[in-house]
Amino acid sequence: MLVGRSAEAAQAAADQLGWAESETDWRSAVNREDIDVVDICTPGNTHAEIAAAALRRKHVLVEKPMANTVAEAESMARAAQDAQSRGVQAMVGFTYRRVPAVQLARQLVAEGRIGAVRQVRAQYLQDWLADENSPLSWRLDKEVAGSGALGDIGAHAVDLTTFITGQRFAGCLRDAGHLREERPVAESFRGLHGTVNDQRGPVTVDDAALAMARLESGAPVTLEATRYAWGRKNALRIEVSGTSGALAFDFEDMNVLHLYEANADAVTSGFRRILVTEPDHPYLEAWWPPATVWATSTASRIRWWTSSARWPAVSSPHPASRTVSMCSGSWTQWSVR
Amino acid sequence: MLVGRSAEAAQAAADQLGWAESETDWRSAVNREDIDVVDICTPGNTHAEIAAAALRRKHVLVEKPMANTVAEAESMARAAQDAQSRGVQAMVGFTYRRVPAVQLARQLVAEGRIGAVRQVRAQYLQDWLADENSPLSWRLDKEVAGSGALGDIGAHAVDLTTFITGQRFAGCLRDAGHLREERPVAESFRGLHGTVNDQRGPVTVDDAALAMARLESGAPVTLEATRYAWGRKNALRIEVSGTSGALAFDFEDMNVLHLYEANADAVTSGFRRILVTEPDHPYLEAWWPPATVWATSTASRIRWWTSSARWPAVSSPHPASRTVSMCSGSWTQWSVR
Amino acid sequence: MLVGRSAEAAQAAADQLGWAESETDWRSAVNREDIDVVDICTPGNTHAEIAAAALRRKHVLVEKPMANTVAEAESMARAAQDAQSRGVQAMVGFTYRRVPAVQLARQLVAEGRIGAVRQVRAQYLQDWLADENSPLSWRLDKEVAGSGALGDIGAHAVDLTTFITGQRFAGCLRDAGHLREERPVAESFRGLHGTVNDQRGPVTVDDAALAMARLESGAPVTLEATRYAWGRKNALRIEVSGTSGALAFDFEDMNVLHLYEANADAVTSGFRRILVTEPDHPYLEAWWPPATVWATSTASRIRWWTSSARWPAVSSPHPASRTVSMCSGSWTQWSVR
Amino acid sequence: MLVGRSAEAAQAAADQLGWAESETDWRSAVNREDIDVVDICTPGNTHAEIAAAALRRKHVLVEKPMANTVAEAESMARAAQDAQSRGVQAMVGFTYRRVPAVQLARQLVAEGRIGAVRQVRAQYLQDWLADENSPLSWRLDKEVAGSGALGDIGAHAVDLTTFITGQRFAGCLRDAGHLREERPVAESFRGLHGTVNDQRGPVTVDDAALAMARLESGAPVTLEATRYAWGRKNALRIEVSGTSGALAFDFEDMNVLHLYEANADAVTSGFRRILVTEPDHPYLEAWWPPATVWATSTASRIRWWTSSARWPAVSSPHPASRTVSMCSGSWTQWSVR
């Protein structure tokens, strides 16, 4: 069952995506006996309430950002912990964790293949707001979205850092702000894009967010999330430098992981371009057949859900939410001429 | 319903892939009333017989290479033409045509964006036989497979050339041969790889095949298909040079098309790296949501089938088969020391 | 004439590099009548004194970092200004400005090809200290070198940002520190590498430095300089995102500039890989012949010097020095476990 | 001394390039006592005569293609052999051999790092004739140039194949022809480009040349040389696949060699991107300082000359010339509509 605010739009989406039914009242959906799993993909300001209700009876997948405030995230985490004692699973939808190249990166760090982590640089670059006439949407409204690039895509950069390094963040200095203070008001939307009218309204979230952070070990991390980087469509990038090697990944080349091992013969040392599409690679069994190049799919997503041994239930606010919180103290406002 | 020679293996595969039933007799399958479509994915020496039977009642998808001989391919094409008059569709499974970057390449050539085609270089490089101890399989047996790299993967390079340029081949000089004359006999297989014993048997198909060919317009084409290129997992590559530009594609970076336009400002001219993942790109509606990076899926494959307006039924031997045939005259045998 | 502290080493270097004479007393060199130009390539703590003496009579090129303190840099700038009124030229050796791809980047920004600058990300990644047993050298001694990665290579990232954008920095939040607190003491050196003994001494400069800065226009800049990034040999990288396009450069692929123009046809938009080696490209006349791929040379360096119309004399502390100074307030010390 | 046909142009070039004198009579130059080395960089139809005269007294560097016919090349080789007995050195200017990444490739093959050579693919792609209105020059006149893309740039692809593999060619099937039968007549030239008038003249050499060849070991080689590949400025590329690994090089990324080693851990196997700029890399001592990225220079060229231990004198027709000759039998003429 697919739930939306407009009966008509919900039914149209259900038809397009192949869902049996649609509904406009999420409460009735989370109370139905024949539904086992709830996927919360509404704007962030509604996550906590829906999750609280859904966790009473259903397994819950909440899309990122988990919540708009740390207080909400903490209450959700407590509810998830309670639910877990009743056999109910909960998780946050950080889909990029399940890319085989990312799985391999995590595995190699855990095996010590690059030694101890010394530095991380993580970026998430997109360009869908780089057109200064692209319209306002709920994602640009702080009341609804909570934050801008930071929560929307920065959360993935933070999550990938913790997922690959196996460490949490210990501190953060953040800078963020508007690159555009007003935008045209949208008449209608098609995905992230839309048609506009001649009115303008304020952008109340950050267009880009930067941070200099530390991991638990003290290792420095540079973070950047922006929706203002012309030409970068989905550049979720991470490079981890260790004491004996390094790893680099860019989601725009999602089947590839680059690995540098310092202990190799110096004359032939270099980053190795690993095409992470072979049968021995992690998580490939949930993907498409080997010997070719593949991507995320509904099938693999369902596989994630059912492979609970690998996907730990959320029992405390997700590190990404905590990091966003730690970063909140140093907010500054830009005004770019 | 999934059909295989061994009842046990067929049922195991059906379980794994989610098919309702399995069967060992393909004749009973093609006669069942509740089956509409038959996908022939057996070794090439059985295609013609199964296709002939299936086309009497079912839509048919035959995997490449279409047949082991041109005579068989021609008889299949005639059967497909007859079937079409009864409303039955037939096609060959050249899946790489449906990669959005390839669709865009074809569209740009048709629109004249690179001018008239002057040269093509097409390669399909794999490495699954580069290990000289990898075992014999039916794919290395000429009786069953018909040919080696030429038919198995060279067919894709030929097909992509015709698909993107919109031209058929007019002539061909071919060179092909063994890089390894004997291989260990396999005990068991897992996909393309397997365990071996200490017996050895002859390789009777080509390990690599080269060709210098011409399109109808006279434009020269270099073709190479090899399963001996260490480090290349699935490098189906094509570069088309025209009178006013060029296109380049490599399936190992499948979401990207490179475009050069000669009429641009000379100082800033260069190949443009197009990330073919946006809503306005061709065929994206059959793929996953925009603003991210995707790959082929069962969903998109079904979409191909049902979008018959785009996928013309095969009414004559597929150009790839004809080209393989044209190339047959110049076979030479290598013996690499 | 080549001047060094050790007569023997200076003569050996002079022989190897083709200088007519060697000398151990820089004062006598700067007073010789037959010398027109002095290139100061000593450690940073000696720059101010030598420059003051040399500027009385000679044109002066001072290698970066210009000085170890802003006070020294300012006194040097005043001396250069005085000298300029006497026809004496002075400059700082930011060699990477003269790479044709960088020249082209600056030209395209000035022409408005990417619109107004909205964001910059600049990195200089090296790995020559990533081996935690690589030895101490004067570059790791704060008394002599002034700073570590920040001044040594971060200065280039800062300089390239100002050179390409045409803007100075308006503010900066910096983080920097040790990734290694002690290192083996060197017995002898060959370039940046050396043999060590079993003693260890303290590293007193930063191994890596991060900054979040602002340009005059308010545009945010992320800066990173590190000598701890395994596998990155000389990755001086900059990406400039504007209101209508973007530019990207990496010195490890030094003949290439990537340009994205947002106003292009959306379906074929993408970063253009410009091979900056053609006759119409800027600064190519000081390089090697067109139609091939080239790099910096002594010849082009001499050309820089003599093309004074293009290389303005330093009349105030160089922006890179000022930025390092602005960044000094927020120094924090890491201790990475 | 610089020799040219026009006194004025020769003097202008001498001034620009820093030669002490100019001359219009090559015979007087090769007889001067104070000249030790003659570099023959005239059109191919004059090489044999000049070389014969020069080898009597001078060391000789002849630019490629060595000669326009194999007969001429053989006579030159005999003269070089005689000269060698008198202590006179002779060589052909295959400059790309001296790129450090190419030197490393040769060294790795010789050391067996990729096992026995099984396949080679070599291409030289340029675009300076892809503009169908670019003018006629002597390079398009068979009488003067001997051949087109085949001799001009194909010679480099052939030479690199023999240099890196250490094998000569054993056979060849060639295809080549015109992609453009007439071109505008040039009024004046600047390098490879020029202004044209409204007359047109015939192109009498090949625009592109393809070959399928064999090495002595029987390993197949695909060769392509074209001046018709829009967007490729100087793409001299070679990939060598062996029994246990592979190497790939592209001169458009000249500081990089890609190496695949099959015996590595399968999960992390991939092509390694080696930045061939470090002190331990071959031939770097003749280049610029390590830790940065460099290119060919006059300095390194002189170093080649004087490092005679490494550069064997030509004592028989150069393999590239022989291969061109072997390929001559199968010439066909294209006519591309």
Side-chain angles (χ1 to χ4, degrees), chain B residues 93-117:
Chain B
F94 286 106
T95 55
Y96 298 124
R97 287 186 171 201
R98 297 298 158 176
V99 173
V102 170
Q103 294 274 330
L104 180 58
R106 175 182 166 92
Q107 175 186 312
L108 293 173
V109 171
E111 290 171 5
R113 288 285 285 272
I114 63 166
V117 171

Side-chain angles (χ1 to χ4, degrees), chain C residues 151-226:
Chain C
D152 180 24
I153 57 176
H156 282 296
V158 166
D159 182 62
L160 233 55
T161 301
T162 61
F163 183 70
I164 292 175
T165 64
Q167 294 186 46
R168 300 204 165 198
F169 280 84
C172 183
L173 270 176
R174 190 185 62 150
D175 196 16
H178 301 307
L179 293 160
R180 187 77 189 161
E181 298 192 0
E182 290 196 327
R183 285 183 177 275
V185 173
E187 300 268 281
S188 69
F189 272 96
R190 178 191 171 201
L192 299 174
H193 301 281
T195 56
V196 301
N197 60 28
D198 56 5
Q199 290 181 288
R200 302 181 78 81
V203 173
T204 50
V205 298
D206 57 293
D207 287 318
L210 320 175
M212 302 185 300
R214 306 280 167 83
L215 297 180
E216 291 165 335
S217 67
V221 180
T222 53
L223 289 165
E224 180 178 355
T226 181

